[in-house]
Amino acid sequence: MWRWLRSALGRLRGSFPAGGGSLPAAAMERAVVRCVPSEPKLSLRLVLPDGSARHMQRDQAEPLARALARIATNTAKGHAKAAKKSKKARAESGPVEEAAAPVVRLFSRDGEVVAEEVPNAAAWQDGAVLQIGEARYRVERNPPALTELQLPRSLLAGFPVCPKVSAEFAAPQHCLFRWYREQRPAAGGDAAAGDGGPSWVEAASTERVFTPSNALVGLRLKLRCTPGDGAQRYGPPCEVESSGPVEAGPGACTFDSRHLYTKKICGEGSIRAVSYNILADTYAQTEFSRTVLYPYCAPYALELDYRQNLLKKELAGYNADLICLQEVDKSVFVDSLAPALDAFGLEGLFKIKEKQHEGLATFYRRDKFNLLSQHDIAFSEALLSDPLQKELGAKLTEYPLVKEKVLQRSSVLQVSVLQSTTDPSRKICVANTHLYWHPKGGNIRLIQIAVALSHIKHVACDSHLSIPVVFCGDFNSTPSSGTYSFIKSGVIAEDHEDWLSNGEEERCNMPLSHPFKLLSACGEPAYTNYVGGFHGCLDYIFIDKNALEVEQVIPLPSHEDVTTHQALPSVSHPSDHIALICDLKWK
């Protein structure tokens, strides 16, 4: 992280943004101290009187006297080195004498000299003053600092640009943002400034998220971010320029009409939930996907950067309180979705599939919920080692081929217990999963969902006092399947046809049951997955109908919109699935 401070230290001595900081003397230099209790050393960065930048690492427990002595020695060496380099000094003064070490002292905020036996960790307090000879430095202990500032590689007009902002001793919501656009060249002129670099003009936006207009197509963007901690302390600002210009957007998207229903965040007592398989890049960027699965989709529309633009606009426009996503690449979660949705007030949780690069993500609105606990599992591991699954595991041993197949799957279940920020008595268990995909895998899915519901029961009913359940996911099961029937009815017979889904060799007959009364909040749409060779309803938001009821279901895109470019994904839709959205309320 210190590379940011290093680049900014020289040009920002003593400077703060308007309204920030509390520095009484603008001329005073800065001595930046980083001291974290979990680390054995503290670091000190400052520019010595001779102009040389220094970075010192000192033990937190050592006496202050040793650190001050090292500063004095470095200062003397710096003066001597500068004098030796001066031809004028050599000509006029002859041999250069060894420079005397200056007096170095540290004063507390109230002006008292800090005793030299005080440990470094206690001595270097924010607001203290370090004196080196005649020079004085204001000590800034753990000031806000940016550790990362990035802009997306692809920028589209009409789509939000969400920077990735990582900071230490600061929070993105307390940072200051200022956006700039490239100066468009005059007719026959050159956009470059006199020094050969681009000329920038303020874009009249100080928001964290910036949506470029069509007027900015062809121009690059620049962001200046000043880290803040919410206590009127600000660190050195950093700037980042986009790698390419703003490009024209695709025009109307499949989700535009849906945003008309979700312009505002739900009121208190209501919950807007979204479930969405967003199509992992690891699957979209294969030769098989481009030539067999999605040959109708323009290649550029399968590119991750392009799809992320659409996805971020789509999700932000739903103003959801809960978002459960499937097929989330780890890098997409870390670098794109988590930073973007954080800017819209959503906190993200991620569970990766074993042996794969994608997994599940659950986001919840910070203003409405606090996270109480997480209870994520991998189905295969749970069957092998979780006492809750001992009975089911014992039954499976009678069907070794099926058991082996179940254990080979990497499917996972994400379970989060949330508590209302306004009514602590209201808690909710949010589950998210993506079941086995194979068309003949009905028997595998039945076992996976049995594991899932058993685990959810333990969390929602045994660990807590029967809190409501919202169970989202891509269940890869149509409404006519055994899995869907089992979830809704609470039972599955041992002679159900899905136990024979992959033939007699993998027959697996066992009756199953669960205690929940679950309802598909969005009903049974004609399809939630629409590709060239298949369309059907595979995704659901199941809710505990004893505690929750459906306030409204956001209509799916029209069939005309879905098939404008033949099928999904397309230039106007980022996935081969369609998001399910509904507003729920407590009974």
Side-chain angles (χ1 to χ4, degrees):
M1 63 156 282
W2 287 108
R3 68 182 185 277
W4 294 99
L5 286 177
R6 187 163 55 245
S7 65
L9 195 57
R11 57 187 171 84
L12 290 163
R13 298 178 188 173
S15 67
F16 286 86
S22 55
L23 189 59
M28 198 180 293
E29 301 283 4
R30 302 171 70 225
V32 179
V33 173
R34 181 179 181 276
C35 183
V36 180
S38 61
E39 299 176 7
K41 293 181 180 292
L42 62 72
S43 66
L44 170 66
R45 287 181 177 270
L46 73 165
V47 177
L48 294 176
D50 63 62
S52 62
R54 290 294 173 129
H55 177 202
M56 299 170 57
Q57 297 276 347
R58 308 300 300 181
D59 286 335
Q60 292 196 29
E62 82 169 357
L64 172 65
R66 294 185 185 179
L68 298 182
R70 172 55 63 184
I71 293 172
T73 300
N74 287 343
T75 303
K77 287 181 178 178
H79 281 310
K81 189 174 181 181
K84 288 178 182 177
K85 287 184 177 180
S86 172
K87 292 183 179 179
K88 184 178 180 181
R90 285 200 301 271
E92 294 180 358
S93 306
V96 179
E97 296 181 3
E98 187 72 24
V103 174
V104 180
R105 293 184 296 180
L106 184 66
F107 296 87
S108 65
R109 295 183 67 169
D110 58 10
E112 298 293 325
V113 176
V114 180
E116 294 188 340
E117 66 271 15
V118 175
N120 279 323
W124 297 93
Q125 295 297 322
D126 192 59
V129 174
L130 172 67
Q131 184 168 354
I132 306 176
E134 298 299 318
R136 299 172 76 237
Y137 298 77
R138 175 183 170 83
V139 174
E140 295 176 31
R141 181 178 173 124
N142 297 341
L146 291 171
T147 58
E148 188 173 16
L149 183 64
Q150 289 183 9
L151 291 178
R153 285 175 295 188
S154 171
L155 309 176
L156 296 182
F159 288 75
V161 178
C162 307
K164 183 182 181 184
V165 182
S166 301
E168 189 174 43
F169 315 119
Q173 60 266 34
H174 299 310
C175 295
L176 305 180
F177 298 90
R178 191 168 296 278
W179 292 87
Y180 300 83
R181 63 169 176 83
E182 219 171 6
Q183 176 73 56
R184 196 177 294 279
D190 188 349
D195 62 358
S199 178
W200 298 96
V201 179
E202 282 198 36
S205 176
T206 55
E207 299 295 324
R208 180 173 167 187
V209 177
F210 176 64
T211 302
S213 66
N214 287 328
L216 300 188
V217 170
L219 302 178
R220 291 192 304 136
L221 300 179
K222 181 173 78 171
L223 173 62
R224 180 183 177 89
C225 177
T226 304
D229 63 1
Q232 292 299 301
R233 287 209 313 162
Y234 294 94
C238 294
E239 295 181 348
V240 61
E241 299 174 9
S242 63
S243 57
V246 176
E247 298 178 341
C253 291
T254 55
F255 46 81
D256 290 340
S257 60
R258 310 185 83 189
H259 285 172
L260 298 176
Y261 297 88
T262 60
K263 288 182 177 180
K264 294 182 179 179
I265 297 170
C266 280
E268 190 175 336
S270 296
I271 304 167
R272 180 167 299 142
V274 173
S275 185
Y276 196 4
N277 180 326
I278 64 173
L279 179 57
D281 184 56
T282 191
Y283 305 140
Q285 290 298 321
T286 65
E287 189 64 25
F288 183 73
S289 294
R290 287 188 288 265
T291 59
V292 178
L293 291 180
Y294 319 120
Y296 48 82
C297 184
Y300 74 87
L302 284 174
E303 293 289 335
L304 178 62
D305 291 339
Y306 180 88
R307 293 196 300 117
Q308 282 299 300
N309 271 300
L310 272 62
L311 186 63
K312 285 183 279 192
K313 181 175 183 178
E314 179 177 8
L315 292 176
Y318 291 146
N319 285 306
D321 302 309
L322 297 174
I323 300 178
C324 291
L325 304 178
Q326 304 85 44
E327 287 197 24
V328 183
D329 300 274
K330 184 177 181 180
S331 60
V332 166
F333 177 83
V334 172
D335 297 325
S336 181
L337 288 180
L341 294 179
D342 178 78
F344 293 100
L346 296 161
E347 191 75 28
L349 309 168
F350 183 70
K351 173 64 176 177
I352 198 164
K353 289 182 182 177
E354 296 298 321
K355 300 175 281 189
Q356 297 196 33
H357 300 289
E358 55 94 359
L360 307 171
T362 297
F363 292 86
Y364 61 92
R365 186 164 296 282
R366 281 189 298 264
D367 288 349
K368 280 196 173 181
F369 296 107
N370 293 318
L371 176 67
L372 290 185
S373 54
Q374 292 175 257
H375 308 269
D376 305 344
I377 60 168
F379 294 132
S380 57
E381 290 179 12
L383 275 169
L384 288 174
S385 59
D386 189 343
L388 287 172
Q389 312 301 337
K390 188 175 181 180
E391 184 180 346
L392 180 59
K395 289 180 182 178
L396 262 183
T397 57
E398 300 175 29
Y399 310 99
L401 285 179
V402 177
K403 182 176 182 178
E404 182 184 6
K405 213 164 193 177
V406 172
L407 296 180
Q408 287 174 348
R409 306 277 68 82
S410 59
S411 307
V412 293
L413 173 72
Q414 192 176 30
V415 181
S416 311
V417 177
L418 305 176
Q419 182 179 47
S420 168
T421 55
T422 56
D423 184 353
S425 68
R426 285 183 169 175
K427 299 173 185 175
I428 193 166
C429 177
V430 181
N432 181 18
T433 197
H434 185 188
L435 300 185
Y436 181 45
W437 64 272
H438 200 284
K440 293 183 178 181
N443 57 345
I444 307 300
R445 285 187 287 276
L446 276 171
I447 294 164
Q448 288 182 333
I449 201 65
V451 174
L453 290 166
S454 174
H455 184 70
I456 294 169
K457 173 187 176 293
H458 173 69
V459 174
C461 302
D462 302 338
S463 301
H464 295 272
L465 296 176
S466 298
I467 59 176
V469 171
V470 175
F471 191 6
C472 302
D474 176 356
F475 295 82
N476 273 311
S477 304
T478 63
S480 63
S481 68
T483 295
Y484 182 80
S485 174
F486 175 44
I487 295 171
K488 283 198 69 178
S489 70
V491 294
I492 189 79
E494 62 182 335
D495 59 351
H496 193 282
E497 62 182 2
D498 273 16
W499 291 123
L500 270 168
S501 61
N502 201 30
E504 190 66 38
E505 279 192 358
E506 289 188 18
R507 175 192 286 271
C508 177
N509 299 105
M510 57 177 84
L512 299 173
S513 64
H514 71 80
F516 297 109
K517 303 296 182 185
L518 298 175
L519 166 76
S520 175
C522 298
E524 301 171 4
Y527 51 78
T528 60
N529 175 232
Y530 199 104
V531 295
F534 170 83
H535 64 271
C537 180
L538 304 177
D539 307 85
Y540 305 93
I541 299 176
F542 292 106
I543 63 169
D544 187 338
K545 60 184 179 183
N546 289 334
L548 299 167
E549 59 184 332
V550 181
E551 206 166 33
Q552 76 162 336
V553 176
I554 308 306
L556 272 67
S558 68
H559 184 68
E560 181 183 7
D561 286 346
V562 171
T563 57
T564 297
H565 303 282
Q566 187 175 335
L568 306 178
S570 70
V571 295
S572 62
H573 192 86
S575 175
D576 54 347
H577 285 249
I578 299 168
L580 293 176
I581 313 145
C582 61
D583 291 354
L584 310 172
K585 67 178 181 179
W586 303 83
K587 281 190 173 180

